[in-house]
Amino acid sequence: MRRSPVAVVALVAVALTVAACGSSSNSSDSSTADTTAASGSGDAANILSAIDTKASTGPQKLKLDVTIDIKGAPSNPQLALFTKQPIHLGVDGVVDSAGKSADVNVSVTLGTSPIEAEIRTGGGKSWIQLDGKWYDLPADALSSTTGTALPTGASASNLDAGKILAAIGDPAKLLDNASVSSETVEGIDSDKVSGDVNIAGVAAAAANLSKSLGNSTAAAPTQAEIDKTTAQLKKIVTKAHVDLWVGKSDHKVHRVAFNVDSAMDAATKKSSGIDAATINLDVTTVDASAPDISAPSSVGTPAEFQAAVVGLLGKVMGGAAGG
């Protein structure tokens, strides 16, 4: 419960994305979402309560875009570097959690210098491509994909989709002013549920989620702590909107778009130097063919990889500082 208020909202949005995004046998290979305006096909609460939370067992095509824009003059010099311009993260590729394999392109943009990489893993080996050259990665470098290791306090069981959704509770309680329309995502007929985030519901869900994903011996947040977080969120969040696209036939969430705008209160501005923050998150997942896990024809030496990483870090910091 000591996370920043904006981070609490983002935590629930990401958790809903990870937990609910699933598969459909009707997906196409298009990389963009086609949309057609139409009237809603059902009640928002019923659609949300019927979401299928079973984890997908086959390869999934994943497209993720996250943009974070922080305004102000943070007292932390490292954070200050990343407030000169919006930060963008993009992930586009295929992930097969059951097969412990993946082939994804990753893009990070700071200032005017985008950083591109491709990550490929399968058969117990992993590679990364930087500036057009492939390198070996340690076996445990991609623990969440390979399944060989997980961060302290986490396990494969507590990252289960169904358990995460159970911790969050009824998704309908997280939305106010919900409406429904019909759209398609990657060729999948879907109900689009749109609404404003219910701040109190999100704070309670975040508390349950934090407990579910954390150390089982950690003390559960008290109602007083939840109420304090709710009050703080209501002070600073000026807009929090979410759209979920739920397949009409498979009841899987195939796309989530989330936006939150916040303006810090006087106490937060004084302590952090941050004036405002905006977070935009958009994730799409559908069925896909197996990822390409073929080994690169040649890879750089460990020394070359180390030099490439040092150069990459320099590019990141230079892009952040230069804006």
Side-chain angles (χ1 to χ4, degrees):
M1 296 303 295
R2 290 184 174 86
R3 293 181 178 87
S4 70
V6 175
V8 171
V9 179
L11 171 64
V12 174
V14 174
L16 279 168
T17 302
V18 173
C21 285
S23 64
S24 168
S25 59
N26 299 321
S27 64
S28 72
D29 290 331
S30 169
S31 61
T32 58
D34 300 318
T35 60
T36 55
S39 60
S41 63
D43 176 78
N46 290 334
I47 293 169
L48 293 173
S49 63
I51 288 175
D52 185 351
T53 61
K54 294 185 182 69
S56 301
T57 57
Q60 292 286 295
K61 183 165 65 173
L62 167 69
K63 185 173 183 180
L64 179 148
D65 286 288
V66 181
T67 301
I68 302 174
D69 191 3
I70 301 173
K71 302 296 186 183
S75 53
N76 184 315
Q78 292 179 326
L79 180 59
L81 284 175
F82 298 97
T83 62
K84 297 179 180 295
Q85 67 288 308
I87 302 167
H88 175 259
L89 168 67
V91 178
D92 191 354
V94 179
V95 177
D96 184 356
S97 297
K100 299 180 181 179
S101 60
D103 183 16
V104 296
N105 293 298
V106 180
S107 173
V108 179
T109 302
L110 298 166
T112 58
S113 301
I115 299 163
E116 308 285 345
E118 181 179 354
I119 298 173
R120 188 179 296 174
T121 182
K125 298 207 66 176
S126 300
W127 306 271
I128 185 169
Q129 186 187 65
L130 299 172
D131 291 330
K133 189 173 183 63
W134 285 97
Y135 303 92
D136 286 315
L137 276 176
D140 60 351
L142 302 174
S143 58
S144 62
T145 299
T146 64
T148 56
L150 287 169
T152 301
S155 68
S157 61
N158 68 18
L159 293 178
D160 175 78
K163 289 186 177 182
I164 293 176
L165 256 287
I168 291 175
D170 183 0
K173 295 181 179 179
L174 304 183
L175 293 182
D176 291 330
N177 308 314
S179 63
V180 181
S181 59
S182 292
E183 295 188 356
T184 62
V185 177
E186 300 281 353
I188 303 169
D189 289 333
S190 303
D191 288 312
K192 178 184 177 183
V193 180
S194 303
D196 299 320
V197 174
N198 181 296
I199 299 298
V202 164
N208 290 333
L209 183 63
S210 179
K211 173 66 176 177
S212 175
L213 297 182
N215 191 319
S216 60
T217 62
T222 65
Q223 187 59 48
E225 290 174 319
I226 295 174
D227 292 342
K228 183 178 180 180
T229 299
T230 301
Q232 182 69 1
L233 283 167
K234 288 182 176 179
K235 283 183 182 179
I236 72 169
V237 175
T238 58
K239 174 185 176 183
H241 184 85
V242 64
D243 299 305
L244 298 93
W245 287 257
V246 183
K248 293 183 179 181
S249 61
D250 63 9
H251 306 294
K252 293 282 189 180
V253 177
H254 293 288
R255 183 182 174 192
V256 175
F258 178 80
N259 166 255
V260 59
D261 293 329
S262 61
M264 303 302 123
D265 60 3
T268 304
K269 284 183 181 180
K270 183 177 180 180
S271 62
S272 68
I274 297 175
D275 296 330
T278 297
I279 300 172
N280 289 296
L281 178 148
D282 195 335
V283 185
T284 299
T285 60
V286 296
D287 274 351
S289 301
D292 177 10
I293 58 172
S294 58
S297 57
S298 64
V299 295
T301 66
E304 289 174 328
F305 176 57
Q306 184 177 16
V309 171
V310 171
L312 183 65
L313 291 175
K315 189 175 182 181
V316 169
M317 300 307 292

